[in-house]
Amino acid sequence: MLPNNDDLAHDMVIIKDALVATKRPKLKRTYIIIGLLLILLGWQILFRPLPKPVLYFIAEHAGGWMINQGGGRYTGAQGSAKRLVNLWMEQSVMAQVHDGMPAQAKMTDLALLKQRLLRIHPLMINQMDVPHEEILSSNALTGVGKCTGLNMAAAQLLAHDFDRVEMIAIDGDRPDSGHTFARLWSPQIKDWLYFDIWTAQIQIFRSSSKGAIYLWRYPAKLSPVEQVYASRTKPMHDRAPHGHLRLKLQNSFGAYFLYRLGNMVDHGSTWEKEVPPNTELLFIAPEPKLPPLVKSKLTVNQSALSAAYLTARLDHVFGENARAKNGYSVIAAASGPAGSTVVAASKIFERRLSMPAPVN
């Protein structure tokens, strides 16, 4: 006797349920494998530095987009993207620089700190060397900045050697009258080692109740103008215990990004703490014979020059000095507004690369 339609329908339901039950474990395993692959990919992207070829590709094809010179602020979705790319690149560049200079065996914390600062200091120039409007890009990438950006570049390098590296801010009573430097916790001496590369002199010191105790200042001899600027940091260094924490440096883009995101949730800002006003004047007024601390000099965004400059900067920080010097030379001779910061900075870096390396 042939089965009726109800029996056939019932049998089909049973077969379908059996097939679905068989597929469920397979689908579950597939989802788990895909999830693990995505986690591994994310880990590789966020917690490992970008390879050098990728860094050069970004500099060549997006350098002009990344560097906002004397123009609009970082706003909106595009501004956020620029910030993230700059952050990702500067973290990757400092990681690559660190990997290229391994520490010597049995090196003390102070000796290691000296070695790292000697490596990064010649790659940076401050706003007295090139009076300029703010370049809205990573100071570690452009090599031009104020105290926060320059010392943060050094701190990012040292975050690969020490577990606790922090930015410390001393507040002033007006814009640009405060100062920011960095410190790291030394397991050997069980104390903070402070460092400041903002001026022409590298300064390493410890803090005491009587003020800063300098462990190393290099070079020891400065020009009269450079000496004045270096001496202006002394009151700030003396007040190091009264400064406030601005930022804790991390050794990867992923860790740094998550840390800054956590600060935004906790404080409403990506910084550890916003700089509050202070009624104490910490910087003396500039002498008439000295250049002003800040002078607007840059007004034009030159995308092609910016991209070429960023490429030359990568050559410079990675030790390709001959190629970097040639890149700086081309930019320094470029036609266009003489006030361009990248042109002025290129002239300085080209001159530095033409000079013999200093002997410590």
Side-chain angles (χ1 to χ4, degrees):
M1 180 168 51
L2 295 174
N4 58 36
N5 291 336
D6 291 340
D7 292 336
L8 286 174
H10 178 70
D11 292 342
M12 290 297 295
V13 169
I14 293 174
I15 294 171
K16 182 180 179 181
D17 290 343
L19 290 173
V20 170
T22 303
K23 290 181 179 179
R24 279 174 182 167
K26 292 182 178 179
L27 287 174
K28 186 176 182 181
R29 285 196 298 270
T30 301
Y31 290 146
I32 291 174
I33 292 173
I34 292 175
L36 291 174
L37 289 175
L38 290 175
I39 291 172
L40 180 61
L41 180 62
W43 179 271
Q44 292 292 320
I45 291 175
L46 294 176
F47 294 94
R48 292 183 63 84
L50 292 170
K52 288 183 181 180
V54 175
L55 294 172
Y56 276 101
F57 181 86
I58 296 174
E60 292 169 6
H61 296 278
W65 172 78
M66 288 173 58
I67 301 178
N68 279 11
Q69 299 184 54
R73 308 292 299 180
Y74 284 149
T75 57
Q78 186 172 148
S80 298
K82 288 184 180 184
R83 288 179 183 273
L84 286 175
V85 172
N86 273 282
L87 175 61
W88 199 349
M89 280 196 69
E90 74 177 17
Q91 286 282 339
S92 298
V93 166
M94 288 299 104
Q96 297 281 4
V97 170
H98 178 268
D99 291 345
M101 49 178 305
Q104 300 176 8
K106 298 181 180 179
M107 182 176 284
T108 66
D109 288 350
L110 180 58
L112 180 60
L113 176 56
K114 290 180 181 180
Q115 182 199 67
R116 298 320 196 210
L117 296 185
L118 281 172
R119 176 70 171 84
I120 195 71
H121 187 251
L123 302 176
M124 312 298 289
I125 53 182
N126 61 30
Q127 77 268 31
M128 284 85 74
D129 293 321
V130 179
H132 65 285
E133 291 180 357
E134 182 181 12
I135 298 180
L136 295 179
S137 180
S138 157
N139 296 133
L141 297 178
T142 63
V144 180
K146 299 181 181 181
C147 54
T148 301
L150 269 58
N151 283 316
M152 189 181 297
Q156 284 179 341
L157 179 63
L158 285 153
H160 294 273
D161 298 297
F162 296 90
D163 293 334
R164 299 173 65 186
V165 184
E166 302 175 350
M167 300 297 296
I168 301 298
I170 304 294
D171 305 324
D173 69 337
R174 56 184 172 81
D176 294 312
S177 65
H179 189 47
T180 302
F181 43 90
R183 70 181 184 181
L184 60 85
W185 180 260
S186 168
Q188 288 181 345
I189 65 175
K190 294 180 174 56
D191 195 6
W192 292 105
L193 290 175
Y194 292 82
F195 55 94
D196 192 346
I197 67 166
W198 175 60
T199 65
Q201 185 180 65
I202 302 172
Q203 299 171 319
I204 300 176
F205 61 97
R206 293 174 67 179
S207 183
S208 73
S209 59
K210 296 182 180 180
I213 302 174
Y214 290 94
L215 307 177
W216 192 59
R217 285 183 280 195
Y218 180 83
K221 294 183 179 180
L222 298 171
S223 70
V225 171
E226 291 172 338
Q227 184 59 53
V228 169
Y229 282 122
S231 66
R232 289 181 182 177
T233 61
K234 180 65 166 63
M236 308 293 193
H237 296 167
D238 288 339
R239 288 175 50 84
H242 305 289
H244 62 75
L245 176 64
R246 288 295 304 274
L247 202 65
K248 296 178 182 179
L249 279 298
Q250 313 295 322
N251 63 1
S252 70
F253 168 73
Y256 189 65
F257 174 76
L258 292 175
Y259 168 73
R260 295 290 292 268
L261 186 64
N263 282 344
M264 180 172 288
V265 173
D266 293 340
H267 308 296
S269 167
T270 58
W271 294 99
E272 187 77 32
K273 178 184 178 183
E274 287 296 299
V275 178
N278 192 305
T279 57
E280 183 175 1
L281 180 62
L282 298 175
F283 260 148
I284 59 173
E287 286 77 0
K289 294 182 180 180
L290 297 178
L293 288 177
V294 179
K295 178 182 178 183
S296 175
K297 193 175 179 180
L298 172 66
T299 57
V300 177
N301 180 6
Q302 298 173 324
S303 296
L305 278 182
S306 297
Y309 176 75
L310 203 55
T311 301
R313 281 289 300 164
L314 290 180
D315 287 334
H316 195 178
V317 298
F318 293 147
E320 301 290 343
N321 291 344
R323 203 162 62 191
K325 183 180 177 183
N326 181 66
Y328 288 138
S329 177
V330 171
I331 298 167
S335 59
S340 171
T341 298
V342 297
V343 173
S346 293
K347 292 178 180 178
I348 293 177
F349 285 129
E350 180 189 13
R351 187 163 57 248
R352 285 186 183 178
L353 288 172
S354 301
M355 298 170 62
V359 178
N360 180 17

